[in-house]
Amino acid sequence: MHTIPIMCNNMSISKTRQLLVDVARQLFAKNGLENTTMNDIALSSGKGRRTLYTYFKSKEDIYYAVIESELERLSDKLDEVAAKKIRPQDKVIELIYTHLSMIRETVVRNGNLRAEFFRNIWMVEKVRKNFDDAEIELFRKVYTEGKEVGEFDIDNIELVADITHYCIKGLEVPYIYGRIAHGMTEEATKPQVAKVVYGALGKLNKR
């Protein structure tokens, strides 16, 4: 008999927390992390300081929550790509482009917060660990699928998945700043990227 009220209460807690995170993200994006206070977040959310401190002990805590929320958006998108009924070789390319485009969108849409992604890289790194592990696992699954159907010739799937993830991670900053394939469209770059990727994966069968 008590299940429904408990569930409703949990949903309310989740909604309140997400509201606070959303409000904080918007304020961080507008004013920057340093120029935003806990009081600013409490006032803008309409929830008050007591409610805010019920969920977050400090501004750093809510900053971590903002980064986690942004990474969850990216993770959900990557899951969608991994679930598509397309060839593993096409899935790998789409995962790479989805990761990079979503990271760029995240940084661009966060205005003044974008500098914090790079200035406080170690703060971001601590929050990224779960996302990074999940992405590596996605690549392992796709590579296993590709190997099973004869598209990839990979001896050590775990190693190749690790390398793929960290290569993409290393491309994030130059991609965001437009230092890679400057002036070229995504469609124009895909064939060359596919050549590099398929070569590294030991692709067995051509189209």
Side-chain angles (χ1 to χ4, degrees), residues 81-100:
V81 174
K84 285 187 175 181
K85 301 299 183 184
I86 56 177
R87 296 177 70 177
Q89 56 184 315
D90 296 326
K91 202 175 286 188
V92 170
I93 301 301
E94 192 161 344
L95 283 170
I96 292 171
Y97 275 89
T98 298
H99 176 122
L100 292 174

Side-chain angles (χ1 to χ4, degrees), residues 38-56:
M38 290 290 273
N39 198 49
D40 293 333
I41 297 167
L43 287 172
S44 296
S45 67
K47 292 293 182 181
R49 287 171 61 86
R50 180 176 294 182
T51 299
L52 178 59
Y53 279 100
T54 297
Y55 292 92
F56 303 101

